[in-house]
Amino acid sequence: MNGFALSTELPAFDTPGMVHRARCRRTALIAGVATALIVAGGATALASMSGASQAPAKPAAVTVDHDKATFLLGGVTKEPIPVDLTGVDVDGAKGQLLKAELRLGTIVKVTSPGCEPATVVELTPHSPKIVSEGYTVNVKLCAG
């Protein structure tokens, strides 16, 4: 039996060639994606430049203070992670707080000009205070 096993030829694999072809494919794919992004960026820049001369930009009616609706999540990485909930509805805010392992405190509706009803306008505590898991966050929603 051993004589039979040694009499067959071993299959030949071109391992260096396989690795080289895989690298070439990967390089070509990366170059293609980079080219597509550059072309799309150039087209966007041209479109925005040509559109700016036709219609003047409207000034923002109300400035939104994103710091009041942003909390800094600490304890996950070295630096705190800012989480901006400005304009997010109640369900979205609850989901983000649960994901950050924070407790939802009181929900209060306040009148604030220029905001969409039932969206977050302020959090307590908000940045620059850093919160970590277990904190209770109070939410103020736009009443309309």
Side-chain angles (χ1 to χ4, degrees), residues 16-135:
M18 289 178 185
V19 171
H20 178 70
R21 283 190 298 274
R23 285 184 182 159
C24 287
R25 284 188 201 125
R26 184 172 45 237
T27 303
L29 178 66
I30 290 171
V33 169
T35 303
L37 289 174
I38 290 170
V39 168
T44 303
L46 287 174
S48 66
M49 287 176 16
S50 64
S53 63
Q54 294 173 357
K58 294 181 181 178
V62 176
T63 58
V64 178
D65 189 5
H66 287 275
D67 286 340
K68 288 187 176 181
T70 302
F71 65 89
L72 296 173
L73 181 61
V76 179
T77 59
K78 276 186 174 179
E79 296 294 320
I81 302 169
V83 180
D84 186 7
L85 297 180
T86 307
V88 177
D89 64 345
V90 177
D91 294 330
K94 285 180 184 177
Q96 289 292 330
L97 293 173
L98 285 174
K99 204 183 287 186
E101 297 182 8
L102 300 171
R103 291 189 304 251
L104 180 63
T106 58
I107 299 175
V108 179
K109 290 190 176 186
V110 295
T111 57
S112 180
C115 63
E116 291 188 36
T119 59
V120 176
V121 292
E122 188 175 338
L123 299 172
T124 306
H126 57 77
S127 64
K129 180 154 174 64
I130 299 172
V131 297
S132 57
E133 67 179 56
Y135 268 70

